[in-house]
PDB file of all heavy atoms in Angstrom:
ATOM      1  N   ALA E  38      14.397   6.099 -25.568  1.00  0.00           N
ATOM      2  CA  ALA E  38      15.633   6.870 -25.427  1.00  0.00           C
ATOM      3  C   ALA E  38      16.242   6.613 -24.054  1.00  0.00           C
ATOM      4  O   ALA E  38      15.545   6.320 -23.097  1.00  0.00           O
ATOM      5  CB  ALA E  38      15.331   8.356 -25.613  1.00  0.00           C
ATOM      6  N   ALA E  39      17.525   6.743 -23.974  1.00  0.00           N
ATOM      7  CA  ALA E  39      18.233   6.488 -22.715  1.00  0.00           C
ATOM      8  C   ALA E  39      18.239   7.725 -21.824  1.00  0.00           C
ATOM      9  O   ALA E  39      19.158   7.930 -21.060  1.00  0.00           O
ATOM     10  CB  ALA E  39      19.652   6.039 -23.011  1.00  0.00           C
ATOM     11  N   GLU E  40      17.213   8.520 -21.908  1.00  0.00           N
ATOM     12  CA  GLU E  40      17.150   9.718 -21.078  1.00  0.00           C
ATOM     13  C   GLU E  40      16.322   9.437 -19.825  1.00  0.00           C
ATOM     14  O   GLU E  40      15.485   8.536 -19.793  1.00  0.00           O
ATOM     15  CB  GLU E  40      16.561  10.886 -21.858  1.00  0.00           C
ATOM     16  CG  GLU E  40      15.182  10.584 -22.420  1.00  0.00           C
ATOM     17  CD  GLU E  40      14.702  11.625 -23.388  1.00  0.00           C
ATOM     18  OE1 GLU E  40      15.276  11.734 -24.471  1.00  0.00           O
ATOM     19  OE2 GLU E  40      13.744  12.330 -23.031  1.00  0.00           O
ATOM     20  N   ASP E  41      16.558  10.207 -18.783  1.00  0.00           N
ATOM     21  CA  ASP E  41      15.906   9.985 -17.498  1.00  0.00           C
ATOM     22  C   ASP E  41      14.394  10.162 -17.560  1.00  0.00           C
ATOM     23  O   ASP E  41      13.662   9.453 -16.900  1.00  0.00           O
ATOM     24  CB  ASP E  41      16.477  10.930 -16.440  1.00  0.00           C
ATOM     25  CG  ASP E  41      17.917  10.588 -16.101  1.00  0.00           C
ATOM     26  OD1 ASP E  41      18.317   9.418 -16.324  1.00  0.00           O
ATOM     27  OD2 ASP E  41      18.644  11.474 -15.638  1.00  0.00           O
ATOM     28  N   THR E  42      13.919  11.104 -18.362  1.00  0.00           N
ATOM     29  CA  THR E  42      12.479  11.374 -18.396  1.00  0.00           C
ATOM     30  C   THR E  42      11.689  10.236 -19.030  1.00  0.00           C
ATOM     31  O   THR E  42      10.513  10.072 -18.737  1.00  0.00           O
ATOM     32  CB  THR E  42      12.186  12.686 -19.144  1.00  0.00           C
ATOM     33  OG1 THR E  42      12.730  12.606 -20.450  1.00  0.00           O
ATOM     34  CG2 THR E  42      12.755  13.885 -18.404  1.00  0.00           C
ATOM     35  N   ALA E  43      12.305   9.440 -19.876  1.00  0.00           N
ATOM     36  CA  ALA E  43      11.596   8.317 -20.493  1.00  0.00           C
ATOM     37  C   ALA E  43      11.123   7.340 -19.419  1.00  0.00           C
ATOM     38  O   ALA E  43       9.991   6.857 -19.469  1.00  0.00           O
ATOM     39  CB  ALA E  43      12.492   7.611 -21.507  1.00  0.00           C
ATOM     40  N   GLY E  44      11.977   7.042 -18.469  1.00  0.00           N
ATOM     41  CA  GLY E  44      11.601   6.151 -17.375  1.00  0.00           C
ATOM     42  C   GLY E  44      10.469   6.723 -16.542  1.00  0.00           C
ATOM     43  O   GLY E  44       9.558   6.004 -16.129  1.00  0.00           O
ATOM     44  N   LEU E  45      10.507   8.032 -16.296  1.00  0.00           N
ATOM     45  CA  LEU E  45       9.446   8.685 -15.534  1.00  0.00           C
ATOM     46  C   LEU E  45       8.108   8.553 -16.236  1.00  0.00           C
ATOM     47  O   LEU E  45       7.092   8.220 -15.607  1.00  0.00           O
ATOM     48  CB  LEU E  45       9.790  10.163 -15.329  1.00  0.00           C
ATOM     49  CG  LEU E  45       8.731  11.015 -14.628  1.00  0.00           C
ATOM     50  CD1 LEU E  45       8.513  10.534 -13.198  1.00  0.00           C
ATOM     51  CD2 LEU E  45       9.124  12.477 -14.668  1.00  0.00           C
ATOM     52  N   PHE E  46       8.084   8.778 -17.543  1.00  0.00           N
ATOM     53  CA  PHE E  46       6.833   8.665 -18.296  1.00  0.00           C
ATOM     54  C   PHE E  46       6.314   7.234 -18.308  1.00  0.00           C
ATOM     55  O   PHE E  46       5.112   7.003 -18.231  1.00  0.00           O
ATOM     56  CB  PHE E  46       6.991   9.213 -19.712  1.00  0.00           C
ATOM     57  CG  PHE E  46       7.104  10.706 -19.763  1.00  0.00           C
ATOM     58  CD1 PHE E  46       8.193  11.312 -20.358  1.00  0.00           C
ATOM     59  CD2 PHE E  46       6.127  11.513 -19.201  1.00  0.00           C
ATOM     60  CE1 PHE E  46       8.302  12.692 -20.387  1.00  0.00           C
ATOM     61  CE2 PHE E  46       6.212  12.889 -19.227  1.00  0.00           C
ATOM     62  CZ  PHE E  46       7.312  13.482 -19.821  1.00  0.00           C
ATOM     63  N   VAL E  47       7.207   6.277 -18.390  1.00  0.00           N
ATOM     64  CA  VAL E  47       6.792   4.871 -18.345  1.00  0.00           C
ATOM     65  C   VAL E  47       6.162   4.553 -16.992  1.00  0.00           C
ATOM     66  O   VAL E  47       5.133   3.870 -16.914  1.00  0.00           O
ATOM     67  CB  VAL E  47       7.980   3.926 -18.643  1.00  0.00           C
ATOM     68  CG1 VAL E  47       7.653   2.492 -18.279  1.00  0.00           C
ATOM     69  CG2 VAL E  47       8.376   4.029 -20.106  1.00  0.00           C
ATOM     70  N   LEU E  48       6.737   5.047 -15.918  1.00  0.00           N
ATOM     71  CA  LEU E  48       6.171   4.817 -14.584  1.00  0.00           C
ATOM     72  C   LEU E  48       4.799   5.466 -14.438  1.00  0.00           C
ATOM     73  O   LEU E  48       3.866   4.853 -13.885  1.00  0.00           O
ATOM     74  CB  LEU E  48       7.105   5.349 -13.500  1.00  0.00           C
ATOM     75  CG  LEU E  48       8.371   4.554 -13.264  1.00  0.00           C
ATOM     76  CD1 LEU E  48       9.268   5.258 -12.249  1.00  0.00           C
ATOM     77  CD2 LEU E  48       8.030   3.161 -12.794  1.00  0.00           C
ATOM     78  N   ILE E  49       4.656   6.672 -14.919  1.00  0.00           N
ATOM     79  CA  ILE E  49       3.365   7.361 -14.853  1.00  0.00           C
ATOM     80  C   ILE E  49       2.322   6.600 -15.661  1.00  0.00           C
ATOM     81  O   ILE E  49       1.205   6.360 -15.189  1.00  0.00           O
ATOM     82  CB  ILE E  49       3.493   8.821 -15.344  1.00  0.00           C
ATOM     83  CG1 ILE E  49       4.324   9.643 -14.353  1.00  0.00           C
ATOM     84  CG2 ILE E  49       2.112   9.446 -15.550  1.00  0.00           C
ATOM     85  CD1 ILE E  49       4.737  11.007 -14.874  1.00  0.00           C
ATOM     86  N   GLN E  50       2.676   6.202 -16.863  1.00  0.00           N
ATOM     87  CA  GLN E  50       1.748   5.459 -17.704  1.00  0.00           C
ATOM     88  C   GLN E  50       1.379   4.116 -17.081  1.00  0.00           C
ATOM     89  O   GLN E  50       0.219   3.702 -17.129  1.00  0.00           O
ATOM     90  CB  GLN E  50       2.350   5.247 -19.094  1.00  0.00           C
ATOM     91  CG  GLN E  50       2.478   6.524 -19.887  1.00  0.00           C
ATOM     92  CD  GLN E  50       3.324   6.348 -21.135  1.00  0.00           C
ATOM     93  OE1 GLN E  50       4.103   5.414 -21.257  1.00  0.00           O
ATOM     94  NE2 GLN E  50       3.172   7.278 -22.075  1.00  0.00           N
ATOM     95  N   THR E  51       2.360   3.449 -16.497  1.00  0.00           N
ATOM     96  CA  THR E  51       2.088   2.165 -15.835  1.00  0.00           C
ATOM     97  C   THR E  51       1.105   2.358 -14.688  1.00  0.00           C
ATOM     98  O   THR E  51       0.147   1.589 -14.546  1.00  0.00           O
ATOM     99  CB  THR E  51       3.395   1.533 -15.326  1.00  0.00           C
ATOM    100  OG1 THR E  51       4.260   1.285 -16.451  1.00  0.00           O
ATOM    101  CG2 THR E  51       3.143   0.236 -14.589  1.00  0.00           C
ATOM    102  N   ALA E  52       1.312   3.388 -13.887  1.00  0.00           N
ATOM    103  CA  ALA E  52       0.398   3.662 -12.773  1.00  0.00           C
ATOM    104  C   ALA E  52      -1.014   3.936 -13.286  1.00  0.00           C
ATOM    105  O   ALA E  52      -1.997   3.423 -12.731  1.00  0.00           O
ATOM    106  CB  ALA E  52       0.909   4.847 -11.948  1.00  0.00           C
ATOM    107  N   LEU E  53      -1.128   4.710 -14.344  1.00  0.00           N
ATOM    108  CA  LEU E  53      -2.452   5.028 -14.890  1.00  0.00           C
ATOM    109  C   LEU E  53      -3.147   3.792 -15.454  1.00  0.00           C
ATOM    110  O   LEU E  53      -4.353   3.606 -15.261  1.00  0.00           O
ATOM    111  CB  LEU E  53      -2.341   6.111 -15.955  1.00  0.00           C
ATOM    112  CG  LEU E  53      -1.930   7.496 -15.440  1.00  0.00           C
ATOM    113  CD1 LEU E  53      -1.699   8.452 -16.606  1.00  0.00           C
ATOM    114  CD2 LEU E  53      -2.958   8.046 -14.473  1.00  0.00           C
ATOM    115  N   VAL E  54      -2.400   2.939 -16.140  1.00  0.00           N
ATOM    116  CA  VAL E  54      -2.985   1.704 -16.669  1.00  0.00           C
ATOM    117  C   VAL E  54      -3.477   0.826 -15.529  1.00  0.00           C
ATOM    118  O   VAL E  54      -4.597   0.291 -15.568  1.00  0.00           O
ATOM    119  CB  VAL E  54      -1.960   0.943 -17.554  1.00  0.00           C
ATOM    120  CG1 VAL E  54      -2.408  -0.485 -17.819  1.00  0.00           C
ATOM    121  CG2 VAL E  54      -1.737   1.686 -18.862  1.00  0.00           C
ATOM    122  N   LEU E  55      -2.673   0.684 -14.487  1.00  0.00           N
ATOM    123  CA  LEU E  55      -3.061  -0.170 -13.357  1.00  0.00           C
ATOM    124  C   LEU E  55      -4.275   0.394 -12.619  1.00  0.00           C
ATOM    125  O   LEU E  55      -5.176  -0.359 -12.226  1.00  0.00           O
ATOM    126  CB  LEU E  55      -1.873  -0.363 -12.406  1.00  0.00           C
ATOM    127  CG  LEU E  55      -0.713  -1.162 -13.004  1.00  0.00           C
ATOM    128  CD1 LEU E  55       0.490  -1.144 -12.070  1.00  0.00           C
ATOM    129  CD2 LEU E  55      -1.129  -2.580 -13.339  1.00  0.00           C
ATOM    130  N   ILE E  56      -4.322   1.701 -12.448  1.00  0.00           N
ATOM    131  CA  ILE E  56      -5.482   2.311 -11.794  1.00  0.00           C
ATOM    132  C   ILE E  56      -6.738   2.098 -12.642  1.00  0.00           C
ATOM    133  O   ILE E  56      -7.806   1.772 -12.114  1.00  0.00           O
ATOM    134  CB  ILE E  56      -5.231   3.806 -11.501  1.00  0.00           C
ATOM    135  CG1 ILE E  56      -4.214   3.931 -10.359  1.00  0.00           C
ATOM    136  CG2 ILE E  56      -6.529   4.532 -11.163  1.00  0.00           C
ATOM    137  CD1 ILE E  56      -3.719   5.338 -10.114  1.00  0.00           C
ATOM    138  N   LEU E  57      -6.608   2.259 -13.944  1.00  0.00           N
ATOM    139  CA  LEU E  57      -7.743   2.019 -14.830  1.00  0.00           C
ATOM    140  C   LEU E  57      -8.233   0.576 -14.703  1.00  0.00           C
ATOM    141  O   LEU E  57      -9.446   0.323 -14.645  1.00  0.00           O
ATOM    142  CB  LEU E  57      -7.371   2.325 -16.282  1.00  0.00           C
ATOM    143  CG  LEU E  57      -8.452   2.053 -17.317  1.00  0.00           C
ATOM    144  CD1 LEU E  57      -9.674   2.937 -17.078  1.00  0.00           C
ATOM    145  CD2 LEU E  57      -7.913   2.261 -18.722  1.00  0.00           C
ATOM    146  N   LEU E  58      -7.325  -0.375 -14.638  1.00  0.00           N
ATOM    147  CA  LEU E  58      -7.722  -1.774 -14.453  1.00  0.00           C
ATOM    148  C   LEU E  58      -8.483  -1.961 -13.142  1.00  0.00           C
ATOM    149  O   LEU E  58      -9.524  -2.634 -13.098  1.00  0.00           O
ATOM    150  CB  LEU E  58      -6.492  -2.690 -14.484  1.00  0.00           C
ATOM    151  CG  LEU E  58      -5.818  -2.863 -15.836  1.00  0.00           C
ATOM    152  CD1 LEU E  58      -4.530  -3.669 -15.686  1.00  0.00           C
ATOM    153  CD2 LEU E  58      -6.752  -3.519 -16.840  1.00  0.00           C
ATOM    154  N   HIS E  59      -7.994  -1.348 -12.069  1.00  0.00           N
ATOM    155  CA  HIS E  59      -8.669  -1.477 -10.780  1.00  0.00           C
ATOM    156  C   HIS E  59     -10.052  -0.824 -10.786  1.00  0.00           C
ATOM    157  O   HIS E  59     -10.988  -1.348 -10.179  1.00  0.00           O
ATOM    158  CB  HIS E  59      -7.806  -0.909  -9.649  1.00  0.00           C
ATOM    159  CG  HIS E  59      -6.594  -1.733  -9.372  1.00  0.00           C
ATOM    160  ND1 HIS E  59      -6.657  -3.026  -8.919  1.00  0.00           N
ATOM    161  CD2 HIS E  59      -5.283  -1.451  -9.513  1.00  0.00           C
ATOM    162  CE1 HIS E  59      -5.434  -3.507  -8.784  1.00  0.00           C
ATOM    163  NE2 HIS E  59      -4.586  -2.569  -9.138  1.00  0.00           N
ATOM    164  N   VAL E  60     -10.177   0.283 -11.480  1.00  0.00           N
ATOM    165  CA  VAL E  60     -11.492   0.922 -11.601  1.00  0.00           C
ATOM    166  C   VAL E  60     -12.457  -0.003 -12.339  1.00  0.00           C
ATOM    167  O   VAL E  60     -13.610  -0.182 -11.927  1.00  0.00           O
ATOM    168  CB  VAL E  60     -11.383   2.295 -12.313  1.00  0.00           C
ATOM    169  CG1 VAL E  60     -12.747   2.823 -12.718  1.00  0.00           C
ATOM    170  CG2 VAL E  60     -10.668   3.298 -11.412  1.00  0.00           C
TER     171      VAL E  60
END
Side-chain angles (χ1 to χ4, degrees):
E40 57 190 68
D41 292 337
T42 57
L45 176 64
F46 288 124
V47 166
L48 288 175
I49 291 169
Q50 292 168 340
T51 299
L53 292 174
V54 166
L55 293 172
I56 288 171
L57 177 63
L58 289 174
H59 291 296
V60 167

